[in-house]
Amino acid sequence: MDALVVCPECGHEWVPAEGGTDGAEGGGSPGERVVKDSVGNVLRDGDTVTVAKALKVKGSPSGIKAGTKVRNIRLVDGVDGHDINCKIDGFGAMQLKSSVVKKA
C-alpha cells in the first residue's frame, strides 16, 4: 500500500524507514528500542506495571482485571505487538502488549 507496509494477520501499518533500528529515538545506542506504556512512560526490564484495562484470557473463565500488578517484566521482540514477557499470579507466564499496561 503505497509507502506503507501492512501486516496481513493484524492489519498493523508502518513505514519501513521507521523500523526503530537506527537508535535515533530516545538518544540511545544504535539498535536499542524504546518501549512505552499506555501513557507514554518508558519501560525497562524489571519494572513493575499495572494492567490498564481488563483482558480476556483464552481457557480461563475469568480474565485479568484492570489494576492487576505485574512485577519484574522483561521486554522482548514479540509477535503482534506483544513486547512484554511476565508472570501473573494465578495465570502464569504471559505476553502482554505495552499499550495495555502503565508503569507503577
Side-chain angles (χ1 to χ4, degrees):
M1 293 182 64
D2 298 324
L4 294 177
V5 178
V6 180
C7 174
E9 293 180 15
C10 67
H12 176 71
E13 300 176 351
W14 71 95
V15 178
E18 295 178 356
T21 58
D22 59 354
E25 185 179 348
S29 62
E32 179 181 336
R33 62 187 186 104
V34 177
V35 177
K36 295 184 179 181
D37 66 0
S38 61
V39 293
N41 298 321
V42 177
L43 297 175
R44 304 208 184 281
D45 286 343
D47 281 347
T48 298
V49 297
T50 57
V51 177
K53 66 177 195 175
L55 303 173
K56 295 180 183 176
V57 178
K58 288 185 181 178
S60 174
S62 64
I64 299 171
K65 295 180 181 179
T68 302
K69 280 197 173 187
V70 181
R71 292 174 177 48
N72 199 19
I73 65 169
R74 193 174 50 150
L75 303 177
V76 296
D77 291 329
V79 178
D80 290 336
H82 294 87
D83 47 8
I84 298 175
N85 272 351
C86 61
K87 288 184 181 176
I88 299 177
D89 293 337
F91 290 96
M94 300 197 88
Q95 289 186 336
L96 298 174
K97 291 184 178 184
S98 58
S99 61
V100 297
V101 299
K102 58 184 174 178
K103 195 169 184 176

